[in-house]
Amino acid sequence: MSKPLSDHDKKKQISVRGLAGVENVADLKTNFNRHLHFTLVKDRNVATRRDYYFALAHTVRDHLVGRWIRTQQSYYEKDPKRVYYVSLEFYMGRTLQNTMVNLALENACDEATYQLGLDMEELQEMEEDAGLGNGGLGRLAACFLDSMASLGLAAYGYGIRYEFGIFNQKIANGWQVEEADDWLRYGNPWEKARPEYMRPVHFYGRTEHHPDGVKWVDTQVVLALPYDTPVPGYRNNIVNTMRLWSAKAPCDFNLKDFNVGGYIQAVLDRNLAENISRVLYPNDNFFEGKELRLKQEYFVVAATLQDIIRRFKTSKFGSREIVRTDFSTLPDKVAIQLNDTHPALAIPELMRVLVDEEKLPWEKAWDICVKTCAYTNHTVLPEALERWPIDLFQTLLPRHLEIIYEINRRHLERIASLHPGDVDRLRRMSMIEEGPQKKVNMAHLCIVGSHAVNGVARIHSDILKATVFKDFYEMDPHKFQNKTNGITPRRWLVMCNPGLAEVIAERIGEDFIRDLDQLQKLRNFVNDEAFIRDVAKVKQENKLKFAVHLEEHYKVKINPNSMFDVQVKRIHEYKRQLLNCLHIITFYNRIKKEPNKQWTPRTIMIGGKAAPGYHTAKMIIRLITAIGEVVNNDPVVDDRLKVIFLENYRVTLAEKAIPASDLSEQISTAGTEASGTGNMKFMLNGALTIGTMDGANVEMAEEAGEDNFFIFGMRVEDVEAMDAKGYNAFEFYNRIPELKQAIDQIAGGFFSPKQPDLFKDIVNMLMHHDRFKVFADYEDYIKCQEKVSALYKKPKEWTKKVILNIAGSGKFSSDRTISQYAHEIWGVEPTLEKLAAPDELK
Ligand code: D6G
């Protein structure tokens, strides 16, 4: 009998990890040692594990450089239409493994580090996540960058280089505690500062109206310093740029005025200007009208537009130089995509540049602006919509406020001519909201200033047209589109689940990695015993690996044969982690009532961050940990139910948890989750979904077949009907004994014996003012969970449904999403052609 393969040998056999040619490995080892010596200034006697990570990162980075320079030069040579994806968030996670995957270097690096006596996975664990995002919106931007590079688009991501990303979540005595995310402490090997491209950004001041135009004067200047990060396409030699701006005070900051003796104070005050890029606002789906946030939003837009216009005006490569002065061709050369309203100021800023600086007539500038910009809406929750107080605008951006007023004046004039006398419509559609505090409605500004407005899943785009943006849809129906979100199969399959990628590749080849629709071919294997076995085996291996991580981390004994039932996403009332809690309690009570019944064991995991100022979300975390304390220590339950709160959920933890999950919880109230993208990651990685007909779940069920999807709960129409009638939590509480029991336990201190009224706010909310109608879906959810448990008892049937889900997940590749943006909004052509490898790599 041959001896079992080591982990290292197993990995080597995986073809999707790239070839480990001997020359390649020898070069990698040489370069690794060279970087350890010259870049890290260490040798093997003193090097730490982190030094080795950095040496490997620099070794891999070297392979990007030639391709990066070449790609960017080709854009100057060929002068294609460029796409600018502007976003306040880019939730990138780690970069090393992703780079190795896209450059086919993974096996070679693994072999090289192995020969050097190092464990590559351990080195990878040293990399900090680039956590410059809150959740779905920021991760979507990161997936889009991967797809845009993989599809050969001349695209850029533009955002802010926050010194502190999303906070690190610690759980102390069951409560969330925030820690600052000092991700740059040890340096970032993936970025390149470009001080030579620094740009000024103006704030405050006042406007002067002269016969020859408007001047914005007496402003305060902050410099925007760009840091470039390479974005490699999947094995096509293309490397695009993500450019993040960092705020820098000018050298004469605060020193110009009569401040004799104020030199030291002036230098200390540089912090004030540089605070602009200090920290990411940690709100998901929630608007907080803080001045510093408005500064961030203008900062990224003003710096980015200067770059866009510079590239538009001159395209210089060697002796060839294109100089453009006619701005009417701007929309032929530039597409600007606004990731939510956060970069909405791009619209008035572009108008300011075209009218005040380039001296274009208003009408012409407006036509260019609308043709260039497009807006993606990410939510219909009213508390998330940006509505900035006029006073803030007036002080910080006086010229932009004037421009918005003028845009609005013309907009209202048009409405008035279409609907004479309809004053209420004018009020509803205005960009300026009257009231005790006047506000600018940024969504209205975006719709009017863009040629395309899209939602992020079919149901969401339909809701936009029918409700929040109904008036706008009636006026300009041609603007409204849908672009169902997607995820990159490189990170979310090949990288995080190589075992599954490999068993798929063995059946249908590797082309599915660039063309995910090919997963459909797996339908042919749904009755193939060997394939069913392989898929189930990979899942079991992933679960065992994750169980080790959990046992180390949480000191709980995990039953690896239990169903891994996972809900990971930001903590939010509308996402209804509380409904999950009610199922846990119900399941617990049932086990206690009939301890000898054959229950399907579950390990239920919930993870996610609560915005630091969101009281209810923090209490939900406390409730989950409290339930865990009782359930996990109850000997009657034993290993049939465990409840784990996954601490510090982030991109890197998702990459470990999702491939190990059996059941994906996507249980928001219908009509509230715009799309979701976590849902897609689970589907692609072989979990079944229990979910409501909300967001992209609707299309996922359609692709997988409703028989292979656990759908429950109210549809949007039912929610609307209930709203019309009035939702009454007591009806459900009084009618459903198990629901009553669960609520009474929470309210009576069963899970918080030392502090019986700990959860009074949550209970009060659920009983009296629950906007998201948790109780109304309780009964159907519990019944649906019973079906899930029954199916899990039949492993083969379960895995067949898993296969049909994987086979149906091709639609949810961000390559499909980006191709649709390219054709239907940007007017550019995606390609799977490869760029020639740079000379040194031939
Ligand atoms: C990246 C790579 C570098 C290139 C630069 C171009 O930093 O090789 O020269 O982008 O920047 P722009 O001229 O397009 O701003």
Side-chain angles (χ1 to χ4, degrees):
M1 221 173 78
S2 59
K3 82 172 185 357
L5 290 177
S6 70
D7 263 8
H8 174 70
D9 288 332
K10 253 195 252 166
K11 277 190 212 150
K12 269 204 295 195
Q13 295 190 326
I14 297 182
S15 70
V16 295
R17 289 165 51 96
L19 297 172
V22 181
E23 292 156 52
N24 229 347
V25 173
D27 281 355
L28 288 168
K29 278 162 67 181
T30 310
N31 288 330
F32 179 94
N33 286 325
R34 185 172 54 83
H35 276 299
L36 188 65
H37 187 81
F38 290 104
T39 310
L40 279 306
V41 198
K42 289 274 181 89
D43 65 15
R44 297 292 298 257
N45 295 310
V46 287
T48 63
R49 191 182 284 174
R50 183 172 285 105
D51 293 322
Y52 292 132
Y53 156 69
F54 278 111
L56 180 59
H58 278 102
T59 305
V60 169
R61 194 191 96 128
D62 288 349
H63 288 253
L64 288 166
V65 171
R67 294 175 164 98
W68 197 7
I69 293 174
R70 251 305 198 50
T71 305
Q72 298 308 310
Q73 285 181 349
S74 83
Y75 295 157
Y76 279 96
E77 256 175 302
K78 295 183 195 142
D79 193 34
K81 180 166 181 178
R82 287 164 158 106
V83 173
Y84 294 98
Y85 198 82
V86 190
S87 178
L88 271 279
E89 301 186 16
F90 285 93
Y91 202 170
M92 303 295 283
R94 288 177 179 161
T95 295
L96 174 59
Q97 196 187 358
N98 185 247
T99 308
M100 294 190 293
V101 164
N102 282 14
L103 267 44
L105 280 172
E106 212 180 0
N107 258 337
C109 287
D110 202 8
E111 185 59 32
T113 44
Y114 181 73
Q115 290 181 16
L116 291 164
L118 299 164
D119 180 322
M120 191 165 78
E121 243 179 78
E122 273 176 26
L123 305 193
Q124 285 170 183
E125 287 302 314
M126 301 311 295
E127 181 171 358
E128 299 272 348
D129 274 36
L132 309 187
N134 277 289
L137 174 148
R139 183 55 231 176
L140 184 75
C143 283
F144 280 4
L145 294 185
D146 182 85
S147 283
M148 291 191 291
S150 297
L151 290 169
L153 302 185
Y156 303 77
Y158 269 94
I160 295 178
R161 180 182 179 269
Y162 300 108
E163 194 178 323
F164 295 89
I166 187 66
F167 62 86
N168 282 310
Q169 177 193 57
K170 291 273 153 67
I171 299 295
N173 303 318
W175 297 97
Q176 166 175 301
V177 180
E178 299 88 21
E179 279 184 3
D181 167 46
D182 194 2
W183 71 295
L184 294 166
R185 182 169 35 202
Y186 297 101
N188 174 3
W190 305 106
E191 67 182 11
K192 178 73 192 83
R194 293 282 180 213
E196 68 273 29
Y197 300 144
M198 205 132 67
R199 314 265 165 234
V201 176
H202 298 259
F203 293 100
Y204 303 106
R206 58 189 173 83
T207 60
E208 282 178 355
H209 291 249
H210 300 279
D212 60 335
V214 181
K215 286 201 175 94
W216 182 17
V217 297
D218 296 340
T219 56
Q220 294 177 26
V221 175
V222 178
L223 298 174
L225 164 61
Y227 284 77
D228 288 355
T229 298
V231 181
Y234 182 71
R235 300 185 190 182
N236 64 358
N237 295 321
I238 286 170
V239 180
N240 283 342
T241 302
M242 172 176 71
R243 181 163 284 177
L244 302 181
W245 302 101
S246 178
K248 196 102 182 86
C251 296
D252 60 1
F253 186 77
N254 266 358
L255 286 166
K256 276 179 283 188
D257 318 322
F258 304 93
N259 60 347
V260 190
Y263 165 71
I264 294 291
Q265 197 52 50
V267 174
L268 297 180
D269 285 350
R270 292 170 62 85
N271 269 330
L272 269 27
E274 295 175 358
N275 276 342
I276 290 177
S277 56
R278 195 77 67 206
V279 58
L280 167 78
Y281 274 87
N283 301 318
D284 185 77
N285 277 300
F286 185 78
F287 170 62
E288 196 184 338
K290 289 282 191 297
E291 184 185 40
L292 183 61
R293 168 71 180 196
L294 187 58
K295 280 186 180 165
Q296 292 181 336
E297 295 187 353
Y298 180 62
F299 177 72
V300 58
V301 152
T304 301
L305 275 171
Q306 292 179 64
D307 245 16
I308 293 175
I309 285 166
R310 170 187 47 92
R311 287 201 199 92
F312 170 75
K313 278 186 170 173
T314 59
S315 190
K316 195 165 180 288
F317 183 74
S319 55
R320 207 179 64 99
E321 189 173 355
I322 306 169
V323 181
R324 287 196 193 85
T325 46
D326 179 7
F327 276 92
S328 57
T329 61
L330 188 82
D332 304 328
K333 287 288 159 196
V334 172
I336 299 175
Q337 190 66 38
L338 307 176
N339 196 20
D340 213 314
T341 58
H342 313 153
L345 286 165
I347 292 163
E349 173 66 1
L350 183 54
M351 287 301 286
R352 189 189 67 79
V353 172
L354 294 178
V355 174
D356 295 356
E357 293 181 1
E358 302 293 342
K359 307 290 177 202
L360 264 66
W362 181 280
E363 290 77 10
K364 196 168 176 190
W366 182 246
D367 181 56
I368 293 167
C369 180
V370 172
K371 284 181 176 153
T372 305
C373 296
Y375 155 56
T376 304
N377 172 278
H378 285 270
T379 180
V380 295
L381 291 183
E383 64 268 37
L385 301 178
E386 288 194 296
R387 292 147 71 244
W388 287 101
I390 293 275
D391 320 347
L392 253 179
F393 249 99
Q394 180 65 259
T395 354
L396 191 68
L397 300 165
R399 178 56 184 146
H400 296 80
L401 184 59
E402 287 177 357
I403 290 171
I404 291 168
Y405 274 130
E406 180 59 16
I407 296 172
N408 194 42
R409 190 186 64 77
R410 289 163 185 257
H411 164 62
L412 295 180
E413 220 170 66
R414 183 172 162 227
I415 303 166
S417 73
L418 292 169
H419 304 274
D422 192 344
V423 186
D424 197 57
R425 184 179 295 262
L426 291 177
R427 182 194 56 74
R428 292 197 309 267
M429 294 180 76
S430 177
M431 282 164 218
I432 309 296
E433 293 182 358
E434 305 290 338
Q437 200 186 26
K438 265 188 162 189
K439 286 173 180 163
V440 184
N441 184 315
M442 303 304 266
H444 292 183
L445 172 63
C446 283
I447 299 171
V448 176
S450 299
H451 68 284
V453 177
N454 73 281
V456 288
R458 194 208 298 141
I459 190 176
H460 167 61
S461 297
D462 289 344
I463 290 172
L464 290 181
K465 292 191 281 189
T467 62
V468 259
F469 299 153
K470 184 169 186 280
D471 295 322
F472 293 88
Y473 175 61
E474 270 173 32
M475 187 162 79
D476 293 309
H478 61 277
K479 280 192 183 181
F480 287 78
Q481 301 195 17
N482 172 244
K483 296 285 166 282
T484 299
N485 280 168
I487 55 170
T488 169
R490 271 72 66 181
R491 180 176 294 261
W492 296 111
L493 179 56
V494 180
M495 183 182 131
C496 71
N497 200 346
L500 183 58
E502 187 60 20
V503 302
I504 295 171
E506 277 167 18
R507 289 355 187 255
I508 64 170
E510 284 186 29
D511 288 351
F512 72 93
I513 300 170
R514 290 156 179 276
D515 176 13
L516 207 63
D517 278 328
Q518 294 199 19
L519 290 177
Q520 291 285 2
K521 293 182 190 165
L522 294 177
R523 291 188 189 285
N524 299 329
F525 295 87
V526 72
N527 292 312
D528 180 324
E529 298 288 336
F531 187 59
I532 296 171
R533 225 183 306 119
D534 284 355
V535 169
K537 189 169 160 242
V538 168
K539 179 62 72 184
Q540 200 53 32
E541 284 170 1
N542 293 339
K543 286 173 71 174
L544 285 169
K545 191 169 176 192
F546 194 54
V548 171
H549 170 89
L550 292 174
E551 289 189 356
E552 266 171 28
H553 213 89
Y554 300 97
K555 314 282 174 240
V556 254
K557 186 96 196 78
I558 301 293
N559 173 0
N561 297 316
S562 64
M563 180 199 307
F564 284 14
D565 169 347
V566 180
Q567 186 178 23
V568 281
K569 50 184 75 255
R570 288 295 289 255
I571 309 293
H572 214 299
E573 284 160 90
Y574 84 82
K575 294 177 190 279
R576 298 200 297 192
Q577 282 89 0
L578 286 172
L579 184 57
N580 194 344
C581 289
L582 292 177
H583 169 248
I584 298 173
I585 297 171
T586 304
F587 185 37
Y588 171 75
N589 289 334
R590 288 182 180 183
I591 298 175
K592 294 285 278 184
K593 206 170 158 192
E594 294 181 84
N596 298 319
K597 210 173 144 178
Q598 290 298 305
W599 300 104
T600 305
R602 292 194 190 216
T603 302
I604 303 182
M605 300 174 233
I606 304 178
K609 291 173 184 174
Y614 187 176
H615 171 76
T616 307
K618 288 186 144 176
M619 287 311 298
I620 292 172
I621 291 177
R622 185 66 192 96
L623 177 62
I624 298 164
T625 58
I627 296 170
E629 280 158 37
V630 171
V631 169
N632 299 347
N633 296 307
D634 190 325
V636 174
V637 170
D638 197 25
D639 67 353
R640 293 179 293 183
L641 174 60
K642 289 283 178 253
V643 178
I644 294 175
F645 186 83
L646 294 175
E647 196 179 306
N648 206 23
Y649 178 66
R650 62 200 185 285
V651 173
T652 297
L653 188 53
E655 290 163 8
K656 300 183 210 290
I658 293 172
S661 299
D662 294 306
L663 185 66
S664 159
E665 300 269 352
Q666 308 298 336
I667 58 178
S668 50
T669 315
T672 64
E673 189 75 272
S675 163
T677 47
N679 47 0
M680 302 168 185
K681 294 166 195 169
F682 283 97
M683 184 185 189
L684 181 59
N685 281 280
L688 297 186
T689 303
I690 183 165
T692 47
M693 278 300 201
D694 200 20
N697 297 353
V698 177
E699 291 159 75
M700 285 164 48
E702 187 172 292
E703 297 296 312
E706 292 201 5
D707 290 347
N708 306 307
F709 220 80
F710 295 101
I711 301 166
F712 73 95
M714 296 180 286
R715 311 301 197 252
V716 169
E717 305 77 54
D718 304 321
V719 175
E720 282 167 359
M722 188 170 282
D723 275 328
K725 190 177 118 226
Y727 165 66
N728 180 2
F730 278 87
E731 270 175 33
F732 301 95
Y733 172 85
N734 290 326
R735 183 168 61 73
I736 310 166
E738 288 186 294
L739 172 62
K740 182 172 186 303
Q741 183 189 3
I743 294 299
D744 291 351
Q745 285 170 318
I746 300 173
F750 183 86
F751 300 106
S752 53
K754 287 188 199 143
Q755 210 182 322
D757 66 349
L758 183 59
F759 301 114
K760 64 173 190 309
D761 291 352
I762 284 191
V763 172
N764 187 45
M765 181 275 287
L766 286 170
M767 300 292 293
H768 299 285
H769 43 86
D770 177 9
R771 294 168 58 206
F772 303 105
K773 307 179 179 64
V774 171
F775 292 3
D777 276 340
Y778 169 85
E779 226 176 359
D780 203 21
Y781 179 56
I782 298 290
K783 277 195 197 129
C784 197
Q785 289 285 21
E786 288 167 9
K787 287 190 210 151
V788 172
S789 287
L791 184 71
Y792 196 74
K793 285 207 169 91
K794 303 174 192 158
K796 204 156 137 189
E797 275 185 47
W798 179 279
T799 304
K800 282 186 183 185
K801 288 193 195 291
V802 163
I803 292 170
L804 292 172
N805 269 268
I806 298 171
S809 65
K811 175 174 175 184
F812 306 103
S813 167
S814 47
D815 296 344
R816 186 270 313 150
T817 314
I818 286 299
S819 298
Q820 292 179 334
Y821 275 95
H823 286 133
E824 296 161 23
I825 299 181
W826 302 332
V828 295
E829 193 53 46
T831 165
L832 286 179
E833 279 164 38
K834 292 181 184 172
L835 206 66
D839 294 336
E840 82 258 18
L841 295 168
K842 276 185 185 151

